[in-house]
Amino acid sequence: MTGDDRYARQRLIPGWDQDRLAAATVVIAGVGALGNEVAKNLALAGVGHLLLCDPDTVAPSNLSRCVLFSAASGDPVGRGKVQVATEVLHRLAPQTRVTGRTRDLTTGIGLGELADADVVVGCLDSVRARLDLLSRCALVEALLVDGGTGSWGGEVRIRRTTVEGCYACTLTTRERGRSDVPWSCADATGDHAAAAMVATTALIAAQLSLAVLGEVVGRPADSGIIVFDGGTGQTRRVEVTRDPGCLHHRPLGTREPVVAGSRSTVAELAAELPPGAEPQAWTEFIVPGAPGERPRTTSRILDAAGDTRLCDLGIAPAEVLPVRTTEGDYRWMRLSS
Ligand SMILES: [Zn+2]
């Protein structure tokens, strides 16, 4: 340790391992208020690689809670959240490599990337997005540290394996199917307006960051859900019983690597597959219709023209694709990065 070591103080923490942090990759899904704060914390602490994903642009209402947007050069309003955050993080912590994806979660981050990450952090603001992230993490058994804020507190949910009960297990079937409205998890009023302020954001983001840092340096937090009441300072652990009807407990089987990546063409992918195999995308895309007919949506990758790049169909890097075989069952093919 030297006097000009920016990590000198945190190296004094018993069990700390700066090298493990420098080698770690953390996915941050959602770069709103929580995502800003978590990304700032992890970058300052020296996490080596952050993968940020958010499809949205900066709005004026973000500025009271988002440290990275407030520190942007020029007016960040209207610019992509991921782009602004990436620029500011580079100034704040140049040793941290930041990969940004201005896309929604499913098209932005491949299942292989979730599987490879040391930790996936959920910083999302709708039930639908949380369930999507939970579902994709469950498919590859990625460790998920998920947060949500309410008016004066919030929740932190840690899910380590698909054997455990999960956030979705705590919801009713109707809630699991609800539409994609911003919904503050911890707001006991049930009001769908996502009330929030920076102090609450900082409280929950600190807990998420501690969970990530602890995990990486070998001091893992327990799985489960903890509710924080910022007004009283009290915390409460929620016992989660696994719901047999919850669908988020079925990891994929063996993943077979292929040479093709998301920048490969449909034809290049097809050349690697057995005859008759049908690779599918996780989200639908539009292909031209037959002569005289309108364009149509499909998830069959081979419906796209052979020279189309997979990324242009919304397929993320290192995605794991379901491939239906001629026998009618599925194999799981992992694209290269
Ligand atoms: Zn569940």
Side-chain angles (χ1 to χ4, degrees), residues 114-281:
L114 294 177
D116 290 348
D118 291 81
V119 188
V120 177
V121 191
C123 298
L124 303 161
D125 66 355
S126 77
V127 174
R128 183 77 270 146
R130 278 195 192 105
L131 292 181
D132 285 347
L133 180 62
L134 180 74
S135 165
R136 285 179 61 81
C137 286
L139 290 175
V140 292
E141 299 218 74
L143 170 60
L144 174 62
V145 175
D146 183 42
T149 57
S151 297
W152 294 95
E155 288 186 13
V156 170
R157 316 175 192 99
I158 299 175
R159 195 209 206 187
R160 202 166 285 283
T161 76
T162 50
V163 176
E164 305 162 359
C166 74
Y167 166 62
C169 291
T170 68
L171 305 178
T172 64
T173 305
R174 184 164 166 269
E175 285 170 331
R176 282 180 210 141
R178 72 190 305 157
S179 62
D180 190 14
V181 288
W183 179 51
S184 188
C185 66
D187 207 329
T189 64
D191 186 347
H192 287 187
M197 64 163 162
V198 66
T200 315
T201 299
L203 170 72
I204 299 303
Q207 296 296 331
L208 296 173
S209 305
L210 284 167
V212 172
L213 296 171
E215 184 69 31
V216 175
V217 302
R219 194 174 183 275
D222 292 338
S223 300
I225 299 177
I226 303 177
V227 179
F228 294 82
D229 183 331
T232 64
Q234 292 184 322
T235 63
R236 172 170 64 86
R237 180 169 281 276
V238 177
E239 292 305 322
V240 182
T241 305
R242 182 170 162 182
D243 177 351
C246 178
L247 298 176
H248 305 290
H249 299 267
R250 297 175 188 169
L252 302 177
T254 305
R255 305 190 285 272
E256 303 171 46
V258 293
V259 174
S262 66
R263 299 197 63 77
S264 301
T265 63
V266 169
E268 287 166 340
L269 173 66
E272 287 195 66
L273 301 178
E278 278 283 356
Q280 308 277 326

Side-chain angles (χ1 to χ4, degrees), residues 278-281 283 285 287 296 298-304 313:
E278 278 283 356
Q280 308 277 326
T283 56
F285 52 88
V287 291
R296 62 189 175 88
T298 180
S299 60
R300 293 177 71 240
I301 292 174
L302 299 185
D303 283 353
L313 303 177

Side-chain angles (χ1 to χ4, degrees), residues 1-223:
M1 193 197 323
T2 64
D4 58 2
D5 175 8
R6 66 189 290 161
Y7 305 119
R9 295 291 292 274
Q10 62 195 33
R11 286 186 204 276
L12 298 175
I13 297 169
W16 194 259
D17 190 333
Q18 198 65 48
D19 292 340
R20 283 177 72 172
L21 281 180
T25 292
V26 177
V27 170
I28 300 179
V31 190
L34 268 183
N36 261 251
E37 196 74 12
V38 170
K40 179 263 290 178
N41 290 344
L42 299 183
L44 286 178
V47 169
H49 181 209
L50 297 178
L51 175 46
L52 311 181
C53 184
D54 195 311
D56 292 336
T57 55
V58 178
S61 64
N62 298 135
L63 299 179
S64 64
R65 288 171 296 129
C66 296
V67 62
L68 302 177
F69 303 157
S70 299
S73 304
D75 183 4
V77 173
R79 298 182 61 209
K81 289 180 174 176
V82 164
Q83 187 185 358
V84 176
T86 301
E87 288 171 8
V88 176
L89 286 167
H90 182 66
R91 293 204 306 270
L92 199 63
Q95 78 292 339
T96 296
R97 183 165 64 91
V98 181
T99 303
R101 306 266 169 79
T102 302
R103 305 197 77 139
D104 63 47
L105 182 68
T106 307
T107 63
I109 303 178
L111 289 172
E113 292 180 307
L114 294 177
D116 290 348
D118 291 81
V119 188
V120 177
V121 191
C123 298
L124 303 161
D125 66 355
S126 77
V127 174
R128 183 77 270 146
R130 278 195 192 105
L131 292 181
D132 285 347
L133 180 62
L134 180 74
S135 165
R136 285 179 61 81
C137 286
L139 290 175
V140 292
E141 299 218 74
L143 170 60
L144 174 62
V145 175
D146 183 42
T149 57
S151 297
W152 294 95
E155 288 186 13
V156 170
R157 316 175 192 99
I158 299 175
R159 195 209 206 187
R160 202 166 285 283
T161 76
T162 50
V163 176
E164 305 162 359
C166 74
Y167 166 62
C169 291
T170 68
L171 305 178
T172 64
T173 305
R174 184 164 166 269
E175 285 170 331
R176 282 180 210 141
R178 72 190 305 157
S179 62
D180 190 14
V181 288
W183 179 51
S184 188
C185 66
D187 207 329
T189 64
D191 186 347
H192 287 187
M197 64 163 162
V198 66
T200 315
T201 299
L203 170 72
I204 299 303
Q207 296 296 331
L208 296 173
S209 305
L210 284 167
V212 172
L213 296 171
E215 184 69 31
V216 175
V217 302
R219 194 174 183 275
D222 292 338
S223 300

